[in-house]
Amino acid sequence: QVQLVESGGGLVQAGGSLRLSCAASGSIFSINTMGWYRQAPEKQRELVATITSGSITSGSSSDYADSVKGRFTISRDNAKNTVYLQMSSLKPEDTAVYYCYARVLSTLMPGEYNYWGQGTQVTVSS
C-alpha cells in the first residue's frame, strides 16, 4: 500500500502565500512524476503543476498551468518522498481543494500507478 498525506492548506487573504506539502509512504520502490491538482466547487479537477523525478545527470523538470505560472512553485525532496507547492500572490479564484498525486512503482506489484492524497482545502478571501 502507498499513502499520500497532504498538509498546509488553510485560509489566506488575497495576495498572501501558502505552502502545501505531500509526503508519500508505504511500499514504494520509486516515484516518477509527482504533482498537484485542484478542484473548485462545481468545477472539474484541473492540473496545477507537475515535477519529474530527475536523474543523476539531469535535474527534475516542472510544468505549470497557465493560471498559476509565475505565482506557484513546485519542488520535491526525493529522499523524503515529498512534494511541495509554494503558492504566492494568491487570488480568490485559487480557492479549491488541492490534491497531490504520485506515480509510484510499488514493491508489491509490477507497473507504475497513480496514488492520490485526501485533499487539503485552500481558501483565498478577497
Side-chain angles (χ1 to χ4, degrees):
Q1 289 283 5
V2 175
Q3 300 84 34
L4 272 65
V5 178
E6 298 143 341
S7 60
L11 174 65
V12 64
Q13 288 189 331
S17 299
L18 281 175
R19 188 192 195 208
L20 305 183
S21 300
C22 174
S25 63
S27 305
I28 298 171
F29 180 80
S30 63
I31 302 179
N32 194 338
T33 302
M34 303 183 81
W36 295 89
Y37 278 73
R38 67 185 181 186
Q39 187 166 19
E42 301 182 354
K43 291 189 176 181
Q44 288 189 334
R45 189 175 293 193
E46 64 172 352
L47 179 65
V48 176
T50 61
I51 185 167
T52 63
S53 59
S55 66
I56 296 176
T57 57
S58 63
S60 59
S61 62
S62 56
D63 197 15
Y64 298 90
D66 288 342
S67 59
V68 306
K69 282 182 180 177
R71 300 188 298 121
F72 290 11
T73 302
I74 190 170
S75 61
R76 65 190 283 176
D77 184 333
N78 290 332
K80 297 181 179 179
N81 289 336
T82 299
V83 63
Y84 306 95
L85 187 67
Q86 178 67 47
M87 305 184 293
S88 302
S89 301
L90 283 161
K91 304 175 182 180
E93 50 263 44
D94 294 317
T95 295
V97 178
Y98 284 70
Y99 299 90
C100 72
Y101 82 94
R103 188 155 183 86
V104 177
L105 177 60
S106 170
T107 58
L108 300 179
M109 55 186 173
E112 292 183 337
Y113 296 89
N114 285 342
Y115 293 86
W116 293 86
Q118 79 285 358
T120 185
Q121 178 70 46
V122 171
T123 302
V124 184
S125 63
S126 57

